[in-house]
Amino acid sequence: MDVNAAVAAAAAIAGLCTGVIAMLAFRWSERDQARPTRSSMRPDINAVLPPGVDTVLSVLRSSAVVLDEGDSVVKASSAAYALGLVRGGKLAVEPMLHMARDTRRDGEIRQVELDLPRRGTGRGEALAVSARVAPLGSRLVLLLVEDLTEARRIEAVRRDFVANVSHELKTPVGALSLLSEAVMDASDDPEAVTRFAGRMQIEATRLTNLVQELIDLSRVQYDEALEDAEPVRVDTLVAEAIDRCRHTASAKQITMAAGGTADLRVWGHRGQLAAALGNLVENAVNYSPARTRVGIAGRRVSAPGGDLIEIAVTDQGIGIPEKDRERVFERFYRVDPARSRATGGTGLGLAIVKHVAASHGGEVTVWSAEGQGSTFTLRLPEAAAEAKRPAPGPVTATRTQLDQETAIPAPEVLP
């Protein structure tokens, strides 16, 4: 009996313990369910944002971020992630985070412009942005970020262009003013008047050329669709370019040779193409020493999207230093400013060539070696492929190949 009583008592105690443990577990489970989780602390977007705000934010061009009272990101546009503003559900830019906290505290709208490091680049390039923070309801803060990088770049280009134009125009205008005063002072000296009048004509011609090239550049720099495009014979363009520089080449005893494949045609605006090739040939003549040779050659090359026409202009001039080759197509950039002014250059010729090539679906490249000369190659779609212009590709011709093509058996020699 005593043994049975002991077993019964032990069973009763075990049952009691099990019941207590089960009750504690049940209570603990209820407490866990009542405790707010991380996900429940972030309400549904539609429930948090005021009605219609989510739709408005989705159509804004600016990067949009909505923060709650705990600085957690409730809503962020894809542009905000692309700019690196949001990372791990938090606003990653400290100045913007401080602005948001200040706005949440006093309800004031704030705006600031910042330079942010570019995401994913090891270079020191900065991303210019404008950030505006405003309260959204009683608990949320709205951050709108506008990318100003491209606008600043365009403004810098425009500012530099205006400054360069002002400087370039000031030189011939100032010279004309001084020369006119000299003519007035030397009114009783016919020889001096003649000499000063000749200088005035030179400066007036330089001013006219500068204004004309500014007009030409304004017409082609936007790479818009071509108007009045037609098949243009390369032979005709080469002949016009040679005729344009005939007098200057003759004075320097420079031989001009035209060669390459005959009967080639490119698709484009005849006037623009003639101006572009004329600028290349004129540069070759102006920067070549006396009694040297300038060659112009055309040929057909294969490309994935259709055949292209290469027109190469080769000279035996002073060449271009390696550090300047990437910049020679910039507006008003001169490798040797003193020499360029002596030859009457405006610094716009190669910029016009670049834009003409781009607007025709082509490109212009340069090979050069100091003391050996330069080769400028204009690549354009062939007239037969005007319906589908190919994208520009790399120039594969070597200096030797271009020299061989321009060395025709019976070159045209200027008297």
Side-chain angles (χ1 to χ4, degrees):
M1 282 299 289
D2 293 339
V3 174
N4 292 334
V7 171
I13 294 173
L16 180 62
C17 291
T18 302
V20 172
I21 293 174
M23 184 167 31
L24 290 175
F26 178 73
R27 295 283 187 184
W28 186 268
S29 175
E30 283 187 336
R31 209 160 118 197
D32 270 351
Q33 291 178 5
R35 181 184 302 165
T37 61
R38 179 174 299 184
S39 59
S40 65
M41 291 175 64
R42 296 199 43 199
D44 181 73
I45 292 176
N46 295 326
V48 173
L49 293 179
V53 172
D54 190 26
T55 303
V56 173
L57 296 181
S58 64
V59 298
L60 287 177
R61 292 186 178 181
S62 304
S63 302
V65 180
V66 178
L67 303 176
D68 62 15
E69 63 272 17
D71 292 334
S72 296
V73 175
V74 176
K75 173 74 174 178
S77 63
S78 57
Y81 286 98
L83 289 178
L85 303 179
V86 178
R87 297 177 189 173
K90 294 289 185 179
L91 187 61
V93 183
E94 283 296 326
M96 295 182 187
L97 187 58
H98 292 317
M99 288 175 58
R101 291 170 178 170
D102 293 339
T103 296
R104 186 185 300 110
R105 184 180 63 253
D106 56 25
E108 295 291 332
I109 298 176
R110 290 174 169 80
Q111 184 170 356
V112 67
E113 292 189 2
L114 301 171
D115 290 332
L116 307 178
R118 284 187 182 270
R119 186 178 181 183
T121 61
R123 296 168 294 180
E125 299 177 351
L127 190 69
V129 298
S130 173
R132 185 178 179 87
V133 181
L136 186 63
S138 59
R139 300 168 51 200
L140 304 179
V141 174
L142 172 63
L143 172 67
L144 296 178
V145 180
E146 191 77 24
D147 188 355
L148 304 178
T149 307
E150 184 64 15
R152 284 192 181 181
R153 187 192 67 81
I154 294 175
E155 180 60 29
V157 170
R158 183 183 295 111
R159 186 169 55 250
D160 292 342
F161 180 70
V162 172
N164 288 330
V165 168
S166 302
H167 177 74
E168 295 296 331
L169 289 174
K170 183 173 64 176
T171 302
V173 169
L176 287 172
S177 177
L178 292 175
L179 288 169
S180 63
E181 293 179 4
V183 169
M184 293 178 63
D185 294 339
S187 57
D188 56 348
D189 186 350
E191 292 185 3
V193 169
T194 302
R195 183 171 65 255
F196 292 142
R199 289 294 307 167
M200 290 179 69
Q201 288 183 341
I202 293 174
E203 295 300 332
T205 300
R206 177 177 296 178
L207 182 59
T208 301
N209 292 338
L210 176 57
V211 172
Q212 184 59 52
E213 291 199 346
L214 285 171
I215 295 173
D216 293 341
L217 181 60
S218 67
R219 289 174 177 171
V220 303
Q221 67 178 346
Y222 297 108
D223 301 341
E224 295 178 348
L226 294 174
E227 296 182 359
D228 302 326
E230 59 181 341
V232 181
R233 290 178 57 90
V234 173
D235 295 341
T236 303
L237 297 177
V238 172
E240 290 183 11
I242 291 177
D243 188 63
R244 169 177 168 176
C245 305
R246 186 180 299 275
H247 177 73
T248 305
S250 177
K252 298 175 67 174
Q253 299 181 7
I254 292 177
T255 301
M256 300 184 70
T261 307
D263 198 27
L264 297 176
R265 287 177 172 82
V266 294
W267 183 260
H269 189 282
R270 186 178 183 280
Q272 293 182 12
L273 293 174
L277 185 59
N279 286 344
L280 292 180
V281 176
E282 187 175 27
N283 273 5
V285 172
N286 288 338
Y287 288 92
S288 293
R291 293 178 294 278
T292 56
R293 177 177 175 276
V294 171
I296 308 101
R299 69 170 187 169
R300 182 184 293 106
V301 295
S302 299
D307 290 345
L308 300 178
I309 302 300
E310 277 189 355
I311 308 174
V313 179
T314 305
D315 64 60
Q316 298 172 325
I318 58 176
I320 304 172
E322 184 176 358
K323 64 181 180 64
D324 296 311
R325 289 172 201 160
E326 295 297 325
R327 301 193 61 191
V328 293
F329 297 103
E330 296 179 10
R331 292 171 293 188
F332 296 113
Y333 185 81
R334 294 182 174 93
V335 176
D336 186 350
R339 183 180 179 89
S340 179
R341 294 186 187 278
T343 59
T346 62
L348 292 174
L350 291 180
I352 292 175
V353 175
K354 175 184 176 181
H355 285 291
V356 169
S359 64
H360 284 71
E363 67 171 352
V364 60
T365 58
V366 59
W367 174 96
S368 187
E370 292 186 78
Q372 299 182 34
S374 305
T375 296
F376 285 84
T377 304
L378 189 62
R379 293 167 59 98
L380 300 166
E382 191 175 14
E386 69 270 18
K388 184 179 180 181
R389 294 177 187 167
V395 175
T396 56
T398 62
R399 170 65 182 226
T400 303
Q401 291 172 330
L402 293 171
D403 284 344
Q404 290 174 351
E405 291 187 10
T406 56
I408 60 175
E412 177 184 355
V413 181
L414 297 180

